[in-house]
């Protein structure tokens, strides 16, 4: 392969060069991911240590879901009505304070159980408030033409954290204990807050509305009126509902007599996503992002089905890696369409809806996978869910053809958003592609 072709595959660094705020948020996210993974691993382990009850550990997911849904929607309304920089900064400081509670509790002679659930719910609520502001910032700080590249870089950062973070967190908890893990989390949020203070102000639009149920409903009506946006949400929900089997990985490991590979099952998807991220330069030259959404979700479903069909653990791991790559490709398409088409005054509220689309789906998917596995067995739960995912994606593509035919160069909403952004920044010139 020639040097030119190889450089064309490497990640497009144009957003990194063109936007100081993107660089700050990139580093802020990397630090936050690392610290958060420490707590994500330590918290359920500490609950298990205190209770020795699978039900008690599983209850943590229940206390997290409702705050995420409620505050995700409200956070979207806040992101349109307040300075997004301020919202990110305050919520990040709040997350750091909750991490400090975990640290103090872990240092007690007899750590208490109830603060762990309170903190889990609080973290979910603050994450719901913060995520729409973070997501909607990308549309403001990154040039219109570089949204796919920015989404790829953010996903690459996350996947590196998803692979390295849990492994390092496990070592810290095993050899240094819970206080050390929570201490790293507190330190990470302190650094993150310092980085957030350097972000440029991101005030709301002059015609922004006060946070209210009416404002949230307006955002929902806008999404419902746009078949392309509706398609991105529906495809993601279908893919996660039918083909998110993480909760039954331990049972698949037992069936395949490969308990040693359980950790690899959980990380294989991240590895696949990482490989795609490291070779994502070509995605910046594609304009049919709806095809990313559809094809990526179909690959995800087909690969999950194959993982349930084959019995060779090596082939299963490859299938899970391919599924991760498909999921990332679909995610790149969704993020690009969202940031290239949604008006600035609605971006926060639509980001709140996006939080629901990619958080509720996996939760329901785990329930589906566990239920079907109990009825039919573990492997059928995999391949049946994967096939239903492919069928659902095909049906949605037929029902919402505008998603499949979306083209960033001809879509009316994308052209309108590009014109508005150029009007706001008439002197800005896009950086050359990497």
């Amino acid at each position: 392969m020639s040097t030119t072709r190889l450089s064309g595959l490497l990640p497009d660094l144009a957003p990194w060069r063109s936007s100081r705020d993107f660089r700050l948020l990139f580093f802020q996210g990397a630090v936050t991911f690392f610290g958060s993974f420490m707590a994500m691993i330590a918290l359920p382990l500490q609950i298990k240590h205190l209770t020795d009850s699978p039900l008690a550990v599983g209850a943590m997911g229940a206390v997290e879901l409702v705050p995420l849904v409620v505050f995700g929607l409200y956070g979207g309304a806040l992101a349109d009505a307040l300075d997004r920089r301020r919202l990110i900064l305050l919520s990040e400081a709040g997350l750091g304070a909750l991490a400090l509670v975990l640290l103090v509790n872990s240092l007690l002679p007899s750590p208490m159980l109830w603060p762990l659930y309170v903190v889990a719910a609080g973290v979910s609520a603050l994450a719901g408030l913060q995520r729409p502001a973070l997501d909607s910032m990308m549309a403001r700080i990154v040039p219109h033409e570089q949204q796919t590249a920015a989404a790829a870089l953010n996903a690459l950062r996350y996947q590196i954290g998803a692979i390295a973070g849990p492994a390092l967190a496990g070592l810290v908890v095993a050899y240094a204990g819970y206080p050390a893990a929570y201490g790293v989390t507190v330190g990470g949020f302190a650094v993150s807050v310092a980085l957030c203070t350097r972000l440029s102000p991101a005030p709301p639009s002059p015609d922004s509305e006060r946070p209210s149920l009416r404002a949230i409903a307006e955002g929902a009506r806008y999404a419902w009126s746009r078949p392309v946006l509706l398609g991105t949400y529906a495809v993601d929900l279908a893919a996660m509902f039918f083909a998110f089997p993480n909760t039954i990985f331990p049972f698949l490991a037992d069936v395949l007599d490969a308990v040693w590979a359980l950790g690899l099952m959980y990380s294989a998807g991240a590895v696949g996503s990482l490989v795609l991220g490291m070779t994502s330069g070509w995605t910046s030259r594609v304009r049919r992002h709806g095809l990313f959404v559809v094809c990526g979700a179909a690959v995800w479903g087909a690969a999950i089905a194959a993982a349930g069909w084959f019995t060779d653990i090596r082939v299963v791991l490859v299938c899970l890696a391919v599924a991760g790559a498909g999921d990332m490709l679909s995610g790149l398409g969704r993020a690009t369409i969202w940031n290239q088409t949604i008006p600035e005054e609605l971006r926060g509220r639509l980001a709140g809806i996006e939080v629901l689309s990619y958080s509720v789906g996996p939760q329901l998917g785990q329930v589906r996978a566990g239920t079907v596995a109990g009825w039919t067995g573990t492997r059928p739960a995999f391949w049946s869910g994967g096939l239903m995912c492919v069928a659902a994606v095909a049906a949605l593509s037929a029902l919402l053809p505008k998603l499949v035919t979306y083209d960033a160069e001809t879509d009316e909403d994308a052209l309108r958003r590009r014109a508005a952004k150029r009007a706001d920044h008439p002197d800005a010139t896009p950086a050359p592609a990497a």
Side-chain angles (χ1 to χ4, degrees):
M1 181 178 294
S2 67
T3 304
T4 302
R5 289 184 178 180
L6 180 61
S7 63
L9 290 175
L10 295 177
D12 185 352
L13 300 180
W16 181 279
R17 293 194 296 267
S18 64
S19 174
R20 169 183 173 272
D21 283 337
F22 178 82
R23 294 193 295 273
L24 286 172
L25 283 178
F26 186 92
F27 283 122
Q28 177 268 335
V31 172
T32 298
F33 283 154
F34 180 75
S36 297
F37 274 120
M38 287 287 171
M40 285 172 57
I41 298 298
L43 190 54
L45 284 177
Q46 190 174 21
I47 293 176
K48 176 180 180 295
H49 176 77
L50 293 175
T51 66
D52 196 30
S53 167
L55 181 60
V57 177
M60 190 177 73
V63 303
E64 289 174 334
L65 181 58
V66 173
L68 182 62
V69 172
V70 174
F71 287 92
L73 288 173
Y74 187 61
L78 287 177
D80 283 335
L82 304 176
D83 187 310
R84 290 170 187 168
R85 169 187 172 274
R86 180 178 174 83
L87 186 56
I88 293 170
L89 178 60
L90 291 177
S91 56
E92 197 75 358
L95 289 168
L98 291 176
L100 186 60
V101 172
L102 292 176
L103 174 60
V104 172
N105 184 62
S106 69
L107 292 171
L108 295 175
S110 298
M112 295 178 288
L113 179 62
W114 66 265
L116 305 184
Y117 290 110
V118 172
V119 168
V123 167
S124 186
L126 286 175
L129 288 174
Q130 184 191 67
R131 188 61 186 263
L134 277 172
D135 288 350
S136 58
M137 279 284 280
M138 290 298 116
R140 176 174 293 194
I141 65 177
V142 175
H144 185 89
E145 296 80 5
Q146 298 172 10
Q147 289 298 329
T148 304
L153 290 173
N154 284 333
L156 182 61
R157 174 196 62 189
Y158 176 81
Q159 297 305 334
I160 292 174
I163 295 171
L168 293 174
L171 291 174
V172 171
V173 171
Y175 292 101
Y178 300 113
Y182 295 140
V184 172
T185 304
V186 172
F189 278 115
V191 174
S192 178
V193 168
L195 290 171
C196 288
T197 60
R198 300 184 61 193
L199 289 170
S200 302
S205 301
D207 55 348
S208 62
E209 295 189 38
R210 292 175 59 87
S212 64
L213 290 176
R214 188 175 71 84
I216 294 173
E218 181 185 357
R221 283 194 298 271
Y222 179 86
W224 185 259
S225 70
R226 296 300 192 273
V228 174
L229 291 180
L230 199 61
T232 63
Y233 303 143
V235 167
D236 187 39
L237 280 170
M240 293 298 104
F241 175 73
F242 288 117
F244 191 80
N246 289 28
T247 192
I248 57 174
F249 277 164
F251 300 94
L252 183 63
D254 288 340
V255 169
L256 300 179
D257 194 23
V259 177
W260 59 270
L262 179 58
L264 296 177
M265 289 183 182
Y266 282 108
S267 61
V271 172
S273 297
L274 179 62
V275 171
L276 181 63
M278 294 297 293
T279 57
S280 61
W282 62 275
T283 62
S284 296
R285 299 186 290 275
V286 176
R287 298 292 176 259
R288 298 285 299 278
H289 303 113
L291 288 177
F292 277 10
V293 177
V294 172
C295 293
V299 168
W300 161 266
I304 292 297
W309 183 261
F310 291 105
T311 57
D312 188 323
I313 185 60
R314 294 167 296 183
V315 178
V316 170
L317 292 174
V318 171
C319 291
L320 293 176
V322 172
D327 184 45
M328 180 174 174
L329 183 64
S330 185
L332 291 182
R334 294 194 306 271
T336 303
I337 290 173
W338 294 338
N339 286 334
Q340 284 188 345
T341 64
I342 298 173
E344 172 65 21
E345 64 272 13
L346 292 171
R347 187 66 192 92
R349 277 165 282 179
L350 271 293
I353 295 175
E354 291 151 21
V355 169
L356 300 188
S357 78
Y358 55 65
S359 60
V360 174
Q363 296 280 358
L364 296 177
Q366 294 192 81
V367 175
R368 185 214 68 85
T371 302
V372 175
W375 289 343
T376 66
T378 300
R379 291 178 61 205
F382 270 78
W383 60 256
S384 64
L387 292 179
M388 285 189 289
C389 169
V390 175
V393 171
L396 289 169
S397 299
L399 290 172
L400 299 167
K402 287 190 176 182
L403 173 63
V404 181
T405 60
Y406 173 86
D407 189 321
E409 295 297 330
T410 59
D411 182 82
E412 293 183 1
D413 288 329
L415 294 175
R416 190 178 300 114
R417 181 74 183 92
R418 177 186 296 176
K421 191 162 186 177
R422 287 178 175 172
D424 291 338
H425 306 282
D427 298 328
T429 55

